[in-house]
Amino acid sequence: MSTSEPEATSNTPDAASPHPEVDAALADLAEGEKTWADLALADRRTLLDKVHDLTVQYAADWVDAAVAIKGLDPKSPLVGEEWMSGPYPLATGTAALSASLAKLEAGTSPLDGATFGTAPGGRTTVKVLPLNIFDKLLLSGFSADVWLQPGIDRATAQRDAGLAQRDPSRTQGIGVVLGAGNITSIAPLDTLYELIAHNRVVALKLNPITDRLLPVLTRVLEPLISIGAVRLLTGGAEVGTYLVHHDLVDHVHMTGSALTHDAIVFGTGEEGARRKAANEPMLGKAISSELGGVSPTIVLPGEWSRADIKFQAEHIATQRLHNGGYNCVAAQAVVVSSEWKQRDEFVAALKDALDTAPDRPAYYPGSDSRVAGATASFPTAARLGENGGRVLVTDLEPGAYAPLLQTEYFAPVLGVIDLPHAGAAFAQRAADLVNEDFIGTLGVNIVAAPQTIREMGAEFDSLLESLQYGTIAVNAWTGVGYLTATATWGAFPGHTLNDVQSGIGVVHNALLIDRPERTVVRGPFRPSPRSILNREMSISPKPPWFVTNRTAATTGRLLTGFAGAPSWTRLPAIFASALRG
């Protein structure tokens, strides 16, 4: 028997390693997994509640860091985006996850008391918004339902809800989360989903763009860091590559582009292409992902007032320009009927909304080159905004718009696609187009007057069923699905590693629903008071996430405070701010 020491490897903390901080973090997590496995549901819920409270406590610091990252004017209403897509969804997400654990702790299902329904194809649905009186008041007229995969009935859904927390002592090793560089709540939300839904301790590597968030996320996640369940890492691609291939890592979750996904799974260059074609992954562990794509907005023709046209133009401009256009689910192509008699008026209003929306820095790397690529593909496109940094592509000949549907520009680029159909034929052709010709399946928006929806009847339900997207928003933006903690967020199921599209798996899903298929969000076609005058059951004014909302920063701050401690006494200030928006 040899008496020499075993050979050290680059995956052990004491080895001569290019990234010893990664080795140390993973060694800590290997020990932390034992601690996590021993924690009862009540103890886990206590940790979530602490993270919830710290999120609200340090929310202003979080927003300040995000404002600095994105170069926003601290006094701009656009700061509201950072409240509502940063600390707010983490506060609501931790609260909803804690409530699910409380039900499991009591021996019931997270879906105990849920409202179930049905959808086309014999599907079962679960109401995930509104869930209480505060939801009904603060998001009046908005709703969301999770459609379960075909064959999952109510009893099965209730039995299986809870996912890995149904057997909390059975942990699943160490998961890596590769954080996103755009929306600041993505990384911590994905971390919580790995920890709770999959029962894995987590190494979270921040995207270098968001390194300024490290101090505040360290404070917010401290309860989980202190027990060894979470470790935060920074660094570039070389750190990420080392991390995901580490022997101690059991699973990887990433948010980003399909190109990055393929580089991780198959490698790069000719050898990577060969591996992908042969479906021979070089990554020796499972990976889940949320990868974006080209998101469409389908506009169903109808009889709209001038106010309707202006509002919906601002709505679609928001779908593109929120966060500067750097969203995985930003609308990139608007599908309209060339036979719609109000088509030209609507496109003119859309152009005006894009042109006059508040300007902001192009903070995301590569934005200018992607805009230049779009204008090279579409030389007649309009350059809009104060600095001409926004692109609107219109009046394309059939077949000329392929680059718009197959290239995720991840920049303020929007196109209008005309289809020569009307009525039900338009709806069907639009569905075929977005299912077959658009890359990605993350989210699709539908804008339609209530009268149009009523007239379509069952054909409208069939339209929803036919759209193979993870989130469908009707008279709302799919971003509302992202902000709804109890909704699911991810691609339509069925993608594979070598044809990943918008990714594999879901996140958020605070009710811990097993085998979801999609989330369908609905909102009011008109804001209050026009909604009330037109007999829509909604008192919501212009939503605070609109890029044209003048009080978004104040409303976002107040909503985050409310998420920290819901109270009737907080509502008047929120309503007053929202109504001034």
Side-chain angles (χ1 to χ4, degrees), residues 351 354-355 367-368 370-376 378-393 412-413:
K351 181 178 180 180
L354 290 168
D355 193 36
S367 176
D368 291 343
R370 291 190 294 274
V371 168
T375 56
F378 305 105
T380 62
R383 299 295 298 267
L384 305 172
E386 184 176 323
N387 299 312
R390 301 167 191 159
V391 177
L392 178 63
V393 183
V413 176

PDB file of all heavy atoms in Angstrom, residues 351 354-355 367-368 370-376 378-393 412-413:
ATOM      1  N   LYS A 351     -45.650  54.518 -33.010  1.00  0.00           N
ATOM      2  CA  LYS A 351     -44.421  55.250 -33.340  1.00  0.00           C
ATOM      3  C   LYS A 351     -44.247  56.444 -32.409  1.00  0.00           C
ATOM      4  O   LYS A 351     -43.138  56.697 -31.902  1.00  0.00           O
ATOM      5  CB  LYS A 351     -44.465  55.718 -34.795  1.00  0.00           C
ATOM      6  CG  LYS A 351     -43.216  56.458 -35.245  1.00  0.00           C
ATOM      7  CD  LYS A 351     -43.314  56.847 -36.722  1.00  0.00           C
ATOM      8  CE  LYS A 351     -42.063  57.591 -37.177  1.00  0.00           C
ATOM      9  NZ  LYS A 351     -42.148  57.971 -38.615  1.00  0.00           N
ATOM     10  N   LEU A 354     -43.196  55.262 -28.871  1.00  0.00           N
ATOM     11  CA  LEU A 354     -41.776  54.891 -28.827  1.00  0.00           C
ATOM     12  C   LEU A 354     -40.877  56.125 -28.884  1.00  0.00           C
ATOM     13  O   LEU A 354     -39.826  56.179 -28.241  1.00  0.00           O
ATOM     14  CB  LEU A 354     -41.448  53.959 -29.993  1.00  0.00           C
ATOM     15  CG  LEU A 354     -42.031  52.551 -29.928  1.00  0.00           C
ATOM     16  CD1 LEU A 354     -41.874  51.864 -31.276  1.00  0.00           C
ATOM     17  CD2 LEU A 354     -41.343  51.729 -28.845  1.00  0.00           C
ATOM     18  N   ASP A 355     -41.306  57.108 -29.642  1.00  0.00           N
ATOM     19  CA  ASP A 355     -40.479  58.301 -29.854  1.00  0.00           C
ATOM     20  C   ASP A 355     -40.446  59.192 -28.615  1.00  0.00           C
ATOM     21  O   ASP A 355     -39.410  59.809 -28.311  1.00  0.00           O
ATOM     22  CB  ASP A 355     -41.022  59.075 -31.047  1.00  0.00           C
ATOM     23  CG  ASP A 355     -40.063  60.151 -31.537  1.00  0.00           C
ATOM     24  OD1 ASP A 355     -38.843  59.929 -31.492  1.00  0.00           O
ATOM     25  OD2 ASP A 355     -40.540  61.211 -31.969  1.00  0.00           O
ATOM     26  N   SER A 367     -25.534  46.602 -26.709  1.00  0.00           N
ATOM     27  CA  SER A 367     -26.809  47.134 -27.183  1.00  0.00           C
ATOM     28  C   SER A 367     -26.647  47.894 -28.494  1.00  0.00           C
ATOM     29  O   SER A 367     -27.416  47.686 -29.447  1.00  0.00           O
ATOM     30  CB  SER A 367     -27.424  48.050 -26.125  1.00  0.00           C
ATOM     31  OG  SER A 367     -28.622  48.644 -26.597  1.00  0.00           O
ATOM     32  N   ASP A 368     -25.658  48.769 -28.554  1.00  0.00           N
ATOM     33  CA  ASP A 368     -25.489  49.594 -29.756  1.00  0.00           C
ATOM     34  C   ASP A 368     -25.216  48.736 -30.984  1.00  0.00           C
ATOM     35  O   ASP A 368     -25.729  49.026 -32.082  1.00  0.00           O
ATOM     36  CB  ASP A 368     -24.354  50.593 -29.550  1.00  0.00           C
ATOM     37  CG  ASP A 368     -24.705  51.672 -28.534  1.00  0.00           C
ATOM     38  OD1 ASP A 368     -25.904  51.833 -28.243  1.00  0.00           O
ATOM     39  OD2 ASP A 368     -23.784  52.336 -28.031  1.00  0.00           O
ATOM     40  N   ARG A 370     -26.201  45.675 -31.475  1.00  0.00           N
ATOM     41  CA  ARG A 370     -27.420  44.954 -31.858  1.00  0.00           C
ATOM     42  C   ARG A 370     -28.407  45.879 -32.555  1.00  0.00           C
ATOM     43  O   ARG A 370     -29.082  45.471 -33.509  1.00  0.00           O
ATOM     44  CB  ARG A 370     -28.044  44.293 -30.623  1.00  0.00           C
ATOM     45  CG  ARG A 370     -27.206  43.135 -30.086  1.00  0.00           C
ATOM     46  CD  ARG A 370     -27.952  42.351 -29.019  1.00  0.00           C
ATOM     47  NE  ARG A 370     -28.190  43.150 -27.819  1.00  0.00           N
ATOM     48  CZ  ARG A 370     -27.331  43.290 -26.815  1.00  0.00           C
ATOM     49  NH1 ARG A 370     -26.145  42.682 -26.877  1.00  0.00           N
ATOM     50  NH2 ARG A 370     -27.628  44.009 -25.750  1.00  0.00           N
ATOM     51  N   VAL A 371     -28.486  47.122 -32.100  1.00  0.00           N
ATOM     52  CA  VAL A 371     -29.320  48.111 -32.797  1.00  0.00           C
ATOM     53  C   VAL A 371     -28.787  48.330 -34.204  1.00  0.00           C
ATOM     54  O   VAL A 371     -29.557  48.405 -35.183  1.00  0.00           O
ATOM     55  CB  VAL A 371     -29.364  49.435 -32.011  1.00  0.00           C
ATOM     56  CG1 VAL A 371     -29.974  50.550 -32.857  1.00  0.00           C
ATOM     57  CG2 VAL A 371     -30.167  49.260 -30.725  1.00  0.00           C
ATOM     58  N   ALA A 372     -27.468  48.428 -34.339  1.00  0.00           N
ATOM     59  CA  ALA A 372     -26.868  48.607 -35.663  1.00  0.00           C
ATOM     60  C   ALA A 372     -27.160  47.408 -36.556  1.00  0.00           C
ATOM     61  O   ALA A 372     -27.410  47.564 -37.763  1.00  0.00           O
ATOM     62  CB  ALA A 372     -25.357  48.806 -35.527  1.00  0.00           C
ATOM     63  N   GLY A 373     -27.158  46.212 -35.979  1.00  0.00           N
ATOM     64  CA  GLY A 373     -27.493  45.029 -36.760  1.00  0.00           C
ATOM     65  C   GLY A 373     -28.920  45.063 -37.263  1.00  0.00           C
ATOM     66  O   GLY A 373     -29.210  44.659 -38.399  1.00  0.00           O
ATOM     67  N   ALA A 374     -29.833  45.568 -36.429  1.00  0.00           N
ATOM     68  CA  ALA A 374     -31.234  45.667 -36.852  1.00  0.00           C
ATOM     69  C   ALA A 374     -31.396  46.673 -37.984  1.00  0.00           C
ATOM     70  O   ALA A 374     -32.110  46.413 -38.968  1.00  0.00           O
ATOM     71  CB  ALA A 374     -32.116  46.062 -35.668  1.00  0.00           C
ATOM     72  N   THR A 375     -30.737  47.813 -37.867  1.00  0.00           N
ATOM     73  CA  THR A 375     -30.876  48.821 -38.927  1.00  0.00           C
ATOM     74  C   THR A 375     -30.189  48.375 -40.208  1.00  0.00           C
ATOM     75  O   THR A 375     -30.605  48.774 -41.307  1.00  0.00           O
ATOM     76  CB  THR A 375     -30.308  50.163 -38.457  1.00  0.00           C
ATOM     77  OG1 THR A 375     -28.949  49.996 -38.035  1.00  0.00           O
ATOM     78  CG2 THR A 375     -31.120  50.725 -37.309  1.00  0.00           C
ATOM     79  N   ALA A 376     -29.171  47.543 -40.099  1.00  0.00           N
ATOM     80  CA  ALA A 376     -28.547  46.994 -41.299  1.00  0.00           C
ATOM     81  C   ALA A 376     -29.494  46.030 -42.006  1.00  0.00           C
ATOM     82  O   ALA A 376     -29.556  45.991 -43.248  1.00  0.00           O
ATOM     83  CB  ALA A 376     -27.240  46.298 -40.941  1.00  0.00           C
ATOM     84  N   PHE A 378     -32.779  46.168 -41.722  1.00  0.00           N
ATOM     85  CA  PHE A 378     -33.978  46.906 -42.123  1.00  0.00           C
ATOM     86  C   PHE A 378     -33.602  48.375 -42.323  1.00  0.00           C
ATOM     87  O   PHE A 378     -33.877  49.225 -41.457  1.00  0.00           O
ATOM     88  CB  PHE A 378     -35.054  46.763 -41.050  1.00  0.00           C
ATOM     89  CG  PHE A 378     -35.393  45.337 -40.717  1.00  0.00           C
ATOM     90  CD1 PHE A 378     -34.942  44.765 -39.531  1.00  0.00           C
ATOM     91  CD2 PHE A 378     -36.127  44.553 -41.583  1.00  0.00           C
ATOM     92  CE1 PHE A 378     -35.243  43.455 -39.206  1.00  0.00           C
ATOM     93  CE2 PHE A 378     -36.431  43.237 -41.277  1.00  0.00           C
ATOM     94  CZ  PHE A 378     -35.980  42.681 -40.087  1.00  0.00           C
ATOM     95  N   PRO A 379     -32.987  48.714 -43.441  1.00  0.00           N
ATOM     96  CA  PRO A 379     -32.460  50.081 -43.638  1.00  0.00           C
ATOM     97  C   PRO A 379     -33.514  51.172 -43.678  1.00  0.00           C
ATOM     98  O   PRO A 379     -33.190  52.345 -43.483  1.00  0.00           O
ATOM     99  CB  PRO A 379     -31.721  49.977 -44.975  1.00  0.00           C
ATOM    100  CG  PRO A 379     -32.259  48.764 -45.644  1.00  0.00           C
ATOM    101  CD  PRO A 379     -32.633  47.817 -44.549  1.00  0.00           C
ATOM    102  N   THR A 380     -34.776  50.827 -43.905  1.00  0.00           N
ATOM    103  CA  THR A 380     -35.829  51.851 -43.929  1.00  0.00           C
ATOM    104  C   THR A 380     -36.474  52.059 -42.571  1.00  0.00           C
ATOM    105  O   THR A 380     -37.421  52.837 -42.438  1.00  0.00           O
ATOM    106  CB  THR A 380     -36.919  51.484 -44.948  1.00  0.00           C
ATOM    107  OG1 THR A 380     -37.540  50.248 -44.555  1.00  0.00           O
ATOM    108  CG2 THR A 380     -36.340  51.339 -46.350  1.00  0.00           C
ATOM    109  N   ALA A 381     -35.973  51.371 -41.537  1.00  0.00           N
ATOM    110  CA  ALA A 381     -36.560  51.488 -40.204  1.00  0.00           C
ATOM    111  C   ALA A 381     -36.425  52.906 -39.670  1.00  0.00           C
ATOM    112  O   ALA A 381     -35.455  53.617 -39.970  1.00  0.00           O
ATOM    113  CB  ALA A 381     -35.885  50.506 -39.252  1.00  0.00           C
ATOM    114  N   ALA A 382     -37.387  53.311 -38.853  1.00  0.00           N
ATOM    115  CA  ALA A 382     -37.351  54.641 -38.229  1.00  0.00           C
ATOM    116  C   ALA A 382     -36.457  54.595 -37.000  1.00  0.00           C
ATOM    117  O   ALA A 382     -36.522  53.644 -36.208  1.00  0.00           O
ATOM    118  CB  ALA A 382     -38.757  55.075 -37.845  1.00  0.00           C
ATOM    119  N   ARG A 383     -35.626  55.631 -36.836  1.00  0.00           N
ATOM    120  CA  ARG A 383     -34.807  55.793 -35.631  1.00  0.00           C
ATOM    121  C   ARG A 383     -35.505  56.811 -34.742  1.00  0.00           C
ATOM    122  O   ARG A 383     -35.709  57.959 -35.142  1.00  0.00           O
ATOM    123  CB  ARG A 383     -33.392  56.257 -35.992  1.00  0.00           C
ATOM    124  CG  ARG A 383     -32.616  55.296 -36.885  1.00  0.00           C
ATOM    125  CD  ARG A 383     -32.339  53.964 -36.177  1.00  0.00           C
ATOM    126  NE  ARG A 383     -31.522  54.126 -34.987  1.00  0.00           N
ATOM    127  CZ  ARG A 383     -30.187  54.014 -34.966  1.00  0.00           C
ATOM    128  NH1 ARG A 383     -29.533  53.746 -36.085  1.00  0.00           N
ATOM    129  NH2 ARG A 383     -29.513  54.140 -33.829  1.00  0.00           N
ATOM    130  N   LEU A 384     -35.867  56.402 -33.537  1.00  0.00           N
ATOM    131  CA  LEU A 384     -36.725  57.207 -32.673  1.00  0.00           C
ATOM    132  C   LEU A 384     -36.037  57.511 -31.354  1.00  0.00           C
ATOM    133  O   LEU A 384     -34.984  56.970 -31.033  1.00  0.00           O
ATOM    134  CB  LEU A 384     -38.038  56.472 -32.428  1.00  0.00           C
ATOM    135  CG  LEU A 384     -38.821  56.050 -33.682  1.00  0.00           C
ATOM    136  CD1 LEU A 384     -40.002  55.170 -33.299  1.00  0.00           C
ATOM    137  CD2 LEU A 384     -39.290  57.279 -34.451  1.00  0.00           C
ATOM    138  N   GLY A 385     -36.672  58.387 -30.570  1.00  0.00           N
ATOM    139  CA  GLY A 385     -36.120  58.784 -29.294  1.00  0.00           C
ATOM    140  C   GLY A 385     -35.181  59.959 -29.439  1.00  0.00           C
ATOM    141  O   GLY A 385     -34.757  60.328 -30.538  1.00  0.00           O
ATOM    142  N   GLU A 386     -34.837  60.552 -28.322  1.00  0.00           N
ATOM    143  CA  GLU A 386     -34.017  61.766 -28.319  1.00  0.00           C
ATOM    144  C   GLU A 386     -32.697  61.563 -29.036  1.00  0.00           C
ATOM    145  O   GLU A 386     -32.214  62.451 -29.747  1.00  0.00           O
ATOM    146  CB  GLU A 386     -33.775  62.199 -26.878  1.00  0.00           C
ATOM    147  CG  GLU A 386     -33.009  63.503 -26.738  1.00  0.00           C
ATOM    148  CD  GLU A 386     -32.872  63.939 -25.297  1.00  0.00           C
ATOM    149  OE1 GLU A 386     -33.838  63.728 -24.516  1.00  0.00           O
ATOM    150  OE2 GLU A 386     -31.810  64.464 -24.936  1.00  0.00           O
ATOM    151  N   ASN A 387     -32.103  60.384 -28.884  1.00  0.00           N
ATOM    152  CA  ASN A 387     -30.800  60.117 -29.493  1.00  0.00           C
ATOM    153  C   ASN A 387     -30.886  59.128 -30.651  1.00  0.00           C
ATOM    154  O   ASN A 387     -29.854  58.627 -31.109  1.00  0.00           O
ATOM    155  CB  ASN A 387     -29.824  59.587 -28.435  1.00  0.00           C
ATOM    156  CG  ASN A 387     -29.604  60.585 -27.314  1.00  0.00           C
ATOM    157  OD1 ASN A 387     -29.357  61.760 -27.578  1.00  0.00           O
ATOM    158  ND2 ASN A 387     -29.703  60.120 -26.071  1.00  0.00           N
ATOM    159  N   GLY A 388     -32.099  58.826 -31.097  1.00  0.00           N
ATOM    160  CA  GLY A 388     -32.261  57.898 -32.203  1.00  0.00           C
ATOM    161  C   GLY A 388     -31.876  56.477 -31.875  1.00  0.00           C
ATOM    162  O   GLY A 388     -31.576  55.684 -32.771  1.00  0.00           O
ATOM    163  N   GLY A 389     -31.922  56.132 -30.590  1.00  0.00           N
ATOM    164  CA  GLY A 389     -31.485  54.800 -30.180  1.00  0.00           C
ATOM    165  C   GLY A 389     -32.549  53.731 -30.250  1.00  0.00           C
ATOM    166  O   GLY A 389     -32.262  52.559 -29.969  1.00  0.00           O
ATOM    167  N   ARG A 390     -33.770  54.094 -30.628  1.00  0.00           N
ATOM    168  CA  ARG A 390     -34.857  53.126 -30.743  1.00  0.00           C
ATOM    169  C   ARG A 390     -35.184  52.893 -32.203  1.00  0.00           C
ATOM    170  O   ARG A 390     -35.126  53.814 -33.012  1.00  0.00           O
ATOM    171  CB  ARG A 390     -36.095  53.626 -29.993  1.00  0.00           C
ATOM    172  CG  ARG A 390     -35.829  53.854 -28.522  1.00  0.00           C
ATOM    173  CD  ARG A 390     -36.938  54.635 -27.856  1.00  0.00           C
ATOM    174  NE  ARG A 390     -36.515  55.053 -26.527  1.00  0.00           N
ATOM    175  CZ  ARG A 390     -37.066  56.050 -25.857  1.00  0.00           C
ATOM    176  NH1 ARG A 390     -38.054  56.749 -26.402  1.00  0.00           N
ATOM    177  NH2 ARG A 390     -36.622  56.374 -24.661  1.00  0.00           N
ATOM    178  N   VAL A 391     -35.544  51.674 -32.510  1.00  0.00           N
ATOM    179  CA  VAL A 391     -35.781  51.290 -33.904  1.00  0.00           C
ATOM    180  C   VAL A 391     -37.197  50.763 -34.041  1.00  0.00           C
ATOM    181  O   VAL A 391     -37.622  49.890 -33.270  1.00  0.00           O
ATOM    182  CB  VAL A 391     -34.769  50.215 -34.356  1.00  0.00           C
ATOM    183  CG1 VAL A 391     -35.068  49.768 -35.777  1.00  0.00           C
ATOM    184  CG2 VAL A 391     -33.341  50.741 -34.243  1.00  0.00           C
ATOM    185  N   LEU A 392     -37.933  51.284 -35.021  1.00  0.00           N
ATOM    186  CA  LEU A 392     -39.259  50.765 -35.349  1.00  0.00           C
ATOM    187  C   LEU A 392     -39.261  50.339 -36.810  1.00  0.00           C
ATOM    188  O   LEU A 392     -39.019  51.151 -37.708  1.00  0.00           O
ATOM    189  CB  LEU A 392     -40.343  51.813 -35.105  1.00  0.00           C
ATOM    190  CG  LEU A 392     -41.772  51.375 -35.476  1.00  0.00           C
ATOM    191  CD1 LEU A 392     -42.211  50.190 -34.610  1.00  0.00           C
ATOM    192  CD2 LEU A 392     -42.757  52.533 -35.336  1.00  0.00           C
ATOM    193  N   VAL A 393     -39.555  49.081 -37.047  1.00  0.00           N
ATOM    194  CA  VAL A 393     -39.576  48.505 -38.390  1.00  0.00           C
ATOM    195  C   VAL A 393     -41.030  48.312 -38.801  1.00  0.00           C
ATOM    196  O   VAL A 393     -41.793  47.627 -38.116  1.00  0.00           O
ATOM    197  CB  VAL A 393     -38.839  47.148 -38.405  1.00  0.00           C
ATOM    198  CG1 VAL A 393     -38.799  46.584 -39.823  1.00  0.00           C
ATOM    199  CG2 VAL A 393     -37.430  47.286 -37.833  1.00  0.00           C
ATOM    200  N   PRO A 412     -33.715  48.116 -27.762  1.00  0.00           N
ATOM    201  CA  PRO A 412     -34.988  48.769 -28.119  1.00  0.00           C
ATOM    202  C   PRO A 412     -35.299  48.713 -29.611  1.00  0.00           C
ATOM    203  O   PRO A 412     -35.263  49.718 -30.320  1.00  0.00           O
ATOM    204  CB  PRO A 412     -34.807  50.195 -27.614  1.00  0.00           C
ATOM    205  CG  PRO A 412     -33.337  50.415 -27.596  1.00  0.00           C
ATOM    206  CD  PRO A 412     -32.730  49.091 -27.256  1.00  0.00           C
ATOM    207  N   VAL A 413     -35.583  47.508 -30.087  1.00  0.00           N
ATOM    208  CA  VAL A 413     -35.934  47.263 -31.487  1.00  0.00           C
ATOM    209  C   VAL A 413     -37.324  46.628 -31.518  1.00  0.00           C
ATOM    210  O   VAL A 413     -37.570  45.625 -30.858  1.00  0.00           O
ATOM    211  CB  VAL A 413     -34.927  46.321 -32.161  1.00  0.00           C
ATOM    212  CG1 VAL A 413     -35.366  45.990 -33.590  1.00  0.00           C
ATOM    213  CG2 VAL A 413     -33.526  46.921 -32.144  1.00  0.00           C
TER     214      VAL A 413
END
